[in-house]
Amino acid sequence: MNIEIAHPADLDRVEALVSWLKRPHLDRVTITMPGLDATESDRAARTIRHLFNDCGCAWGASALVVAVAGAVLARPGGVAALATAALACLAAAVAGKLLGLAWSRQRLLARLRALRTAA
């Protein structure tokens, strides 16, 4: 999907696409709003594209690494303790992914608001 932002009304249309779990994948973002120089427009377009396409996996992977490290350091013994540690690692990964999605959504909305005030 390609998005072009040329007027404040386009920002309303883009903001409507910003969901928590069902953001569309963007191939290209073009910003041609008056009041923005080419460098600022390119930087904003790259940031918006990156945040739209963010899946939260980096946060999920980080949470999983921390949880696995904690489980290894705790040295769970027995099958029940190992199963609990595995479930805790899975829960940490899912929670990290969801937090990453929430964080990128907030950053995306803030960037769109900043564009609105800049133009």
Side-chain angles (χ1 to χ4, degrees), residues 16 20 27 38 41 45 49 58 76 89-91 96 104 109 112:
W20 207 59
D27 297 315
S41 293
R49 181 178 174 269
C89 290
L90 177 63
S104 67
L109 290 172
L112 292 172

Side-chain angles (χ1 to χ4, degrees), residues 93-117:
V94 170
K97 181 175 177 73
L98 293 175
L99 285 171
L101 285 170
W103 178 249
S104 67
R105 180 180 181 274
Q106 290 303 314
R107 288 181 53 209
L108 179 56
L109 290 172
R111 187 64 183 121
L112 292 172
R113 281 189 294 264
L115 269 179
R116 188 180 304 277
T117 59

Side-chain angles (χ1 to χ4, degrees), residues 59-105:
W59 282 52
S62 297
L64 178 61
V65 167
V66 169
V68 168
V72 168
L73 292 174
R75 297 181 190 194
V79 175
L82 284 173
T84 301
L87 286 175
C89 290
L90 177 63
V94 170
K97 181 175 177 73
L98 293 175
L99 285 171
L101 285 170
W103 178 249
S104 67
R105 180 180 181 274

Side-chain angles (χ1 to χ4, degrees), residues 18-57:
V18 179
S19 71
W20 207 59
L21 295 174
K22 294 186 179 185
R23 282 179 244 167
H25 177 81
L26 297 183
D27 297 315
R28 191 178 60 149
V29 176
T30 305
I31 300 175
T32 58
M33 292 184 70
L36 297 177
D37 63 15
T39 303
E40 189 175 348
S41 293
D42 290 343
R43 185 179 311 126
R46 278 193 313 273
T47 301
I48 289 169
R49 181 178 174 269
H50 170 75
L51 291 172
F52 252 102
N53 295 337
D54 186 15
C55 64
C57 291

